[in-house]
Amino acid sequence: MRIIRASACRTMPWKNGGGTTTEIAAHPPGASLDGFDWRISMAHVGTDGPFSVFPGIDRTLSVLTGRGIVLAFGDGESVRLELSTEPYPFAADRPVEGRLVDGPIDDLNVMTRRGRWLHEVTRFSGTGPIRLEMAGTLLVLVARSDGWMIASQDHRETLATGDSALLESVEGVVLTNPHEGGEIFAITLSAAPQI
C-alpha cells in the first residue's frame, strides 16, 4: 500500500492551456500528457471552455465539489454532472465543452489508453465498513472527505480529503469513516485483454 498525500501531488497546466490539473498518479511514472498508459488527476474548473482532446484515451469524470458541470459534446449530446451523479465515462478524443452550472467545480479525472488498460470508477459513501476483494487489480482510492481509515492485515492508514492510496492485488481491505457524509472513490485499473 502506498499513500499519496494531497500535498505531495504535482500541479501542471492543462494540455490545452486553459487551466491546471493536479496529478495523483500516472503510469509509467513521469509520463508526459501524450505518453501515459493511465493517469488519475484532479482539476479545478473555474470557467467554461473546451476539454483537452486525448486521442486513443478513455476517460471517466466525477464532480468532487461545486454545483456541477454540463458536458456539451460536439455531436449535440449534453450531460449534466453533479455531486450526486455517478462517475461518467466517455471517450477523451470526443470533442466536448464544459459549461459550469453555477460557479467553479473540482473534478476527478481517470484516463486509460484504449487497448492497453481498462478502468472503472465507483463512489462509496457513508461510514462503512466497505470490504474490497479485488485480486489481480490495481486500485487507487481518492478521498473526498476527511477521516477514511483503510486497513489491511498488516497496514492501517488514515486518509484526509484529497489523499489517495495505491494498492495491488487487493484482498481483505476494509474502509471505514466516522462521519456520515464521508465519500471515497475507488478506481480499478486492469490490463486490457490482448486479441
Side-chain angles (χ1 to χ4, degrees), residues 135-153:
T137 65
L138 182 67
L139 178 74
V140 181
L141 300 168
V142 181
R144 194 174 81 82
S145 54
D146 290 340
W148 281 100
M149 173 67 71
I150 179 171
S152 62
Q153 285 186 333

Side-chain angles (χ1 to χ4, degrees), residues 1-157:
M1 181 187 311
R2 180 165 69 94
I3 302 302
I4 305 168
R5 299 297 179 192
S7 59
C9 296
R10 64 176 180 150
T11 298
M12 65 187 70
W14 288 353
K15 185 179 178 185
N16 68 8
T20 59
T21 184
T22 301
E23 186 175 275
I24 297 169
H27 179 77
S32 69
L33 291 179
D34 294 317
F36 63 81
D37 282 339
W38 58 260
R39 183 172 184 264
I40 300 165
S41 62
M42 291 183 288
H44 180 75
V45 183
T47 59
D48 296 348
F51 275 48
S52 300
V53 174
F54 289 88
I57 298 293
D58 291 319
R59 179 179 206 163
T60 298
L61 189 72
S62 308
V63 175
L64 299 175
T65 67
R67 300 295 296 272
I69 189 170
V70 174
L71 303 181
F73 291 95
D75 59 11
E77 183 184 1
S78 182
V79 178
R80 180 170 171 150
L81 303 181
E82 300 175 334
L83 288 173
S84 60
T85 307
E86 288 301 308
Y88 182 72
F90 61 99
D93 43 14
R94 186 178 174 200
V96 60
E97 183 169 320
R99 298 175 184 159
L100 295 169
V101 172
D102 182 18
I105 68 162
D106 292 298
D107 63 36
L108 173 66
N109 281 279
V110 180
M111 294 189 283
T112 48
R113 190 161 303 281
R114 201 171 298 136
R116 292 192 199 171
W117 286 82
L118 302 172
H119 74 267
E120 185 174 355
V121 183
T122 306
R123 183 181 65 225
F124 294 103
S125 59
T127 58
I130 299 163
R131 300 183 189 283
L132 302 174
E133 300 282 349
M134 294 181 235
T137 65
L138 182 67
L139 178 74
V140 181
L141 300 168
V142 181
R144 194 174 81 82
S145 54
D146 290 340
W148 281 100
M149 173 67 71
I150 179 171
S152 62
Q153 285 186 333
D154 56 358
H155 204 95
R156 292 175 68 91
E157 288 283 350

